[in-house]
Amino acid sequence: MLEKESVPENWFDTSAKRFWAAGLVLGIVLLCVYWPVFTYDYLYYDDWIHFSGHEVGCSTSPMYNWSQITGRSLGQYVLCGLFHAFDKTDQAWRSRLIIVGGIIAFAILQWMYFRAVGIRWMTAVCFAFGTSVLPGMLVFGYWITAGSIIFALLASTTAALLTHAAVTSEGSLARKVALIAGAGALQVAALLMYQTQAMYFWTLTAVMLAVRLSKGLRAAFRPLVAYTLVGAVPIAGYFIWFTQLSGLASELKRIDPSRGTMFTDLPDKAKWFFEEALPRASSLWFFDLPHGFGVAVLAVFAVCLILLSARLWRMIWRQGDRAGSMLYAAYPLVIVALGLLSFSPMLVTVYSSQVFRSMIPLSGLIFLIGAIHLGMIVRAYTWPLSIKVCVAAGFALALSCLAAGSLVSRMILPAAAEYSFVRNSLLETARTGHPATRVHAIVPLSTRELYTDELNGLSAQSGQVLGRMLEVMGRELGLHLGPTTFSLPGEPFEREGTLILDFAALSKSGLWKSVRTEGVTDSHPRLLLTQGSYRLFAFQGLIYGVPLSLGPVKLEGGMVARLPGVITGTTVSEVVNRLPREAASDLLPQLLSSHQRYNLVAFRGRIYGVPWAAGELNLADWNSGRVDKLPGVVTGVSVAEVLSRLPK
């Protein structure tokens, strides 16, 4: 008797196999996109500041006090772990590997959530991949200081998964309450790591509503109650703690009013949001396209949202369900509200900075909801499987090339070129056998817009960053370097015994698209560098030193020079030399080294020798002036002076 012919089993029949297949696809593709971050030696911007103090404990590292003041008490431990994962600049790939692994985990968790709410396997993979290479996510791959942000996204996405499990669970009430409580705890953890990325929870809430739209809005709005509970209660509790109980809000406002002021200038903030932030968030992965592209994407998003809502409203109205039809009419307003919630940390302060990392939740919402609604309108799910596979493969291939190209050309190559330039200059100085008594940097004029994302500028345009960069490189090369001065191209400076770092010449390599090196005009303000608590701008033949405490200012009006604290001059060196000592130095105490049971600390232009017996000192002790009066404390204007005055 002939045996019955066996039917081959479909490998994707089980959810477990689909999970492993999705994880493998996302892992391989994302590793290919982010692979260039492991192939160069470099650090970027305030990576140098954090890494220069990585050998000290977390509580005394440069990142600790700032993380505490900004309400990110868990984020500083994440950063501490990342910067303790390597000892030299050429080992920084270890921390980037951890961050890229976090991005892959973020993509897989999103795929799990998309599948849970009812999105098809292949579409869920494309969505998860797309949100993992938004511009802000590309930043994480090469900027270690932004590493805490990815862990906030992981916590927020896991919170959405637990919330969905609680909504769909058929278990006991205790099980549902436990899931809701766990989701709320993860949201609190996300807020304590990085507030803006905790708002990704509202993006995933919008995805749940969009997918359930075809099943009826009443079915969609019922789980919305649970999502709102998990999202709103931790935010309200965190806000009360930060502004009323911890005292951190007043301290942040004192140090940086542009970040610490709440609920002010709402009309101007609304104008900025709709004219600047929203179109930029709508640009998705496209860095270099004009402002109009973001507006066009936003228009398509709005049309899809309105058309789908209107069609469903009309269908329900004809069925005689007037109350249900009104819910469909309100649906676009709910999506808009979720979009505002996803960007709320930026909207409640005067910190109007167009940084891609803060726009991830809003960009993700526009991409995901727009794609879901567009698919519903064109009914893409009726396409043959072969067409779906080709569309998905084409999307992944095109997006991979675009993302990898942006990552390399706008971020990695400029940072690596800057690192190589400074390192080779130091090595050349060491070979001559005549160590430089000072370092002088010639900084280029920048065409970056004021208070916008600095994705492709020179890290060394900040005086503090350049000092830490030279400190780290000098330590790794065994060199002792002198103080650093700055000037613009063409300005005179003392050359004898000086190591000259000509970043203006370096910028002519073409790696920095935002840097104008020839035919520079002063028709618009140009951000030159950051020195302590001041930003230096070039405008109409003058250099302006503007305190950070003034927030965004308009130099075009001619009134800036009359504002309190503003310093003007004809050269960068002139303005830097006129900066107040306490303003031109670090706002937070920085541990330099330890010597004979003393800690040497730099704070507001002075060096402090603090005996270990003084115990642990917090920021309030330093700001109050109490440290100067402690027994055994020695102060001076230089490390050498303090060392000479320490007890033998």
Side-chain angles (χ1 to χ4, degrees):
M1 187 175 181
L2 296 176
E3 295 183 1
K4 184 177 180 180
E5 184 178 356
S6 60
V7 179
E9 179 186 2
N10 187 346
W11 197 85
F12 289 97
D13 281 345
T14 63
S15 59
K17 291 180 178 179
R18 291 184 177 184
F19 168 80
W20 288 111
L24 186 63
V25 170
L26 289 171
I28 292 175
V29 176
L30 288 174
L31 272 177
C32 291
V33 170
Y34 287 98
W35 180 255
V37 304
F38 309 122
T39 59
Y40 295 88
D41 292 336
Y42 61 91
L43 290 177
Y44 175 76
Y45 206 67
D46 43 9
D47 284 354
W48 295 107
I49 298 177
H50 295 332
F51 183 59
S52 64
H54 81 288
E55 294 179 351
V56 300
C58 287
S59 61
T60 53
S61 66
M63 71 194 75
Y64 179 81
N65 284 327
W66 181 248
S67 297
Q68 287 287 97
I69 292 171
T70 53
R72 302 168 189 164
S73 53
L74 291 183
Q76 62 97 4
Y77 289 108
V78 176
L79 292 180
C80 185
L82 289 173
F83 281 101
H84 275 76
F86 61 100
D87 298 318
K88 294 183 179 180
T89 307
D90 58 4
Q91 299 171 348
W93 62 268
R94 300 175 184 174
S95 292
R96 294 194 183 95
L97 181 61
I98 296 173
I99 294 171
V100 172
I103 295 174
I104 294 173
F106 171 64
I108 293 174
L109 284 175
Q110 282 195 103
W111 176 85
M112 293 172 61
Y113 179 79
F114 296 151
R115 290 289 298 137
V117 298
I119 298 177
R120 294 176 180 270
W121 185 90
M122 192 178 301
T123 305
V125 170
C126 290
F127 283 174
F129 171 64
T131 54
S132 299
V133 290
L134 289 168
M137 300 300 294
L138 295 177
V139 171
F140 302 161
Y142 84 120
W143 191 6
I144 298 174
T145 303
S148 60
I149 302 176
I150 186 62
F151 291 92
L153 287 169
L154 287 172
S156 185
T157 306
T158 307
L161 271 169
L162 292 181
T163 305
H164 180 78
V167 169
T168 58
S169 174
E170 298 180 355
S172 63
L173 179 61
R175 172 183 169 84
K176 294 184 178 182
V177 171
L179 290 171
I180 292 293
L186 285 170
Q187 270 298 100
V188 171
L191 287 164
L192 291 173
M193 282 188 277
Y194 212 94
Q195 301 92 331
T196 56
Q197 305 315 312
M199 300 298 103
Y200 200 77
F201 183 86
W202 299 114
T203 296
L204 299 178
T205 300
V207 170
M208 180 273 299
L209 281 176
V211 174
R212 286 177 172 252
L213 182 65
S214 59
K215 300 178 182 178
L217 267 180
R218 289 179 178 176
F221 277 107
R222 286 170 183 168
L224 181 62
V225 175
Y227 278 82
T228 303
L229 179 67
V230 172
V233 171
I235 292 174
Y238 175 85
F239 184 80
I240 294 172
W241 166 78
F242 183 72
T243 58
Q244 306 298 326
L245 302 179
S246 67
L248 295 175
S250 58
E251 185 66 19
L252 179 61
K253 183 178 180 180
R254 186 189 66 79
I255 293 178
D256 189 350
S258 66
R259 294 176 185 250
T261 305
M262 301 287 180
F263 297 107
T264 58
D265 300 325
L266 293 183
D268 290 340
K269 181 55 67 77
K271 180 181 179 182
W272 166 76
F273 175 73
F274 287 106
E275 291 183 357
E276 302 293 339
L278 192 57
R280 190 168 190 185
S282 303
S283 296
L284 302 176
W285 307 278
F286 302 94
F287 290 92
D288 298 315
L289 292 181
H291 183 274
F293 175 79
V295 175
V297 171
L298 191 61
V300 173
F301 171 79
V303 168
C304 291
L305 184 63
I306 294 172
L307 284 179
L308 186 61
S309 179
R311 189 175 72 180
L312 293 174
W313 168 82
R314 184 179 180 184
M315 180 179 65
I316 299 300
W317 179 276
R318 288 182 173 180
Q319 294 176 359
D321 187 357
R322 303 297 174 85
S325 63
M326 290 300 102
L327 291 177
Y328 278 102
Y331 172 73
L333 300 178
V334 175
I335 295 296
V336 170
L338 292 173
L340 293 174
L341 283 171
S342 70
F343 202 61
S344 57
M346 301 295 289
L347 294 175
V348 300
T349 68
V350 295
Y351 187 57
S352 303
S353 181
Q354 297 179 45
V355 289
F356 279 113
R357 58 186 180 275
S358 67
M359 296 182 180
I360 288 176
L362 185 57
S363 292
L365 186 146
I366 294 171
F367 163 60
L368 293 171
I369 304 305
I372 291 171
H373 290 168
L374 187 61
M376 289 180 177
I377 291 175
V378 301
R379 297 188 179 276
Y381 54 84
T382 61
W383 293 354
L385 180 61
S386 58
I387 295 180
K388 290 182 181 180
V389 171
C390 291
V391 170
F395 170 81
L397 181 61
L399 189 55
S400 296
C401 295
L402 179 63
S406 295
L407 183 67
V408 172
S409 62
R410 293 190 59 109
M411 304 174 196
I412 297 174
L413 284 182
E418 182 181 44
Y419 170 81
S420 299
F421 170 71
V422 177
R423 181 181 173 85
N424 291 337
S425 299
L426 295 180
L427 287 173
E428 185 63 28
T429 300
R431 291 192 189 99
T432 62
H434 301 288
T437 58
R438 70 178 66 88
V439 179
H440 185 85
I442 302 175
V443 295
L445 293 176
S446 170
T447 63
R448 288 197 301 264
E449 296 293 332
L450 307 188
Y451 299 93
T452 58
D453 205 18
E454 299 179 2
L455 285 180
N456 54 350
L458 287 163
S459 300
Q461 283 184 270
S462 168
Q464 290 173 312
V465 173
L466 178 59
R468 296 303 180 89
M469 180 190 299
L470 294 173
E471 176 187 338
V472 171
M473 291 191 184
R475 183 176 62 203
E476 294 181 355
L477 297 174
L479 301 176
H480 299 282
L481 304 173
T484 304
T485 58
F486 305 89
S487 70
L488 292 176
E491 291 185 356
F493 61 90
E494 179 62 41
R495 292 179 175 270
E496 185 175 355
T498 301
L499 169 60
I500 301 172
L501 299 175
D502 192 348
F503 291 101
L506 177 65
S507 67
K508 295 179 181 180
S509 64
L511 291 174
W512 287 269
K513 297 181 181 179
S514 65
V515 173
R516 184 181 299 170
T517 57
E518 297 179 0
V520 176
T521 64
D522 281 343
S523 59
H524 300 285
R526 307 298 175 191
L527 175 62
L528 302 179
L529 57 92
T530 300
Q531 180 73 9
S533 59
Y534 273 71
R535 283 192 174 96
L536 271 64
F537 299 97
F539 182 56
Q540 294 184 348
L542 289 177
I543 307 299
Y544 292 81
V546 182
L548 294 175
S549 58
L550 294 180
V553 296
K554 292 183 178 180
L555 274 69
E556 292 87 343
M559 301 295 293
V560 174
R562 303 180 185 179
L563 295 177
V566 173
I567 297 172
T568 61
T570 57
T571 66
V572 173
S573 298
E574 178 185 350
V575 174
V576 170
N577 291 334
R578 293 175 57 192
L579 294 179
R581 174 174 294 173
E582 66 275 8
S585 58
D586 291 336
L587 293 171
L588 302 176
Q590 307 291 333
L591 178 64
L592 302 179
S593 63
S594 295
H595 181 76
Q596 295 180 356
R597 303 184 66 80
Y598 271 76
N599 287 331
L600 300 182
V601 181
F603 182 63
R604 295 189 174 177
R606 295 188 66 79
I607 306 299
Y608 292 78
V610 182
W612 294 356
E616 183 177 350
L617 302 175
N618 56 37
L619 185 61
D621 296 325
W622 290 96
N623 289 328
S624 65
R626 187 178 74 86
V627 177
D628 303 58
K629 304 173 184 178
L630 292 177
V633 171
V634 178
T635 64
V637 296
S638 67
V639 173
E641 180 184 350
V642 172
L643 288 175
S644 66
R645 297 175 58 190
L646 292 181
K648 301 300 181 182

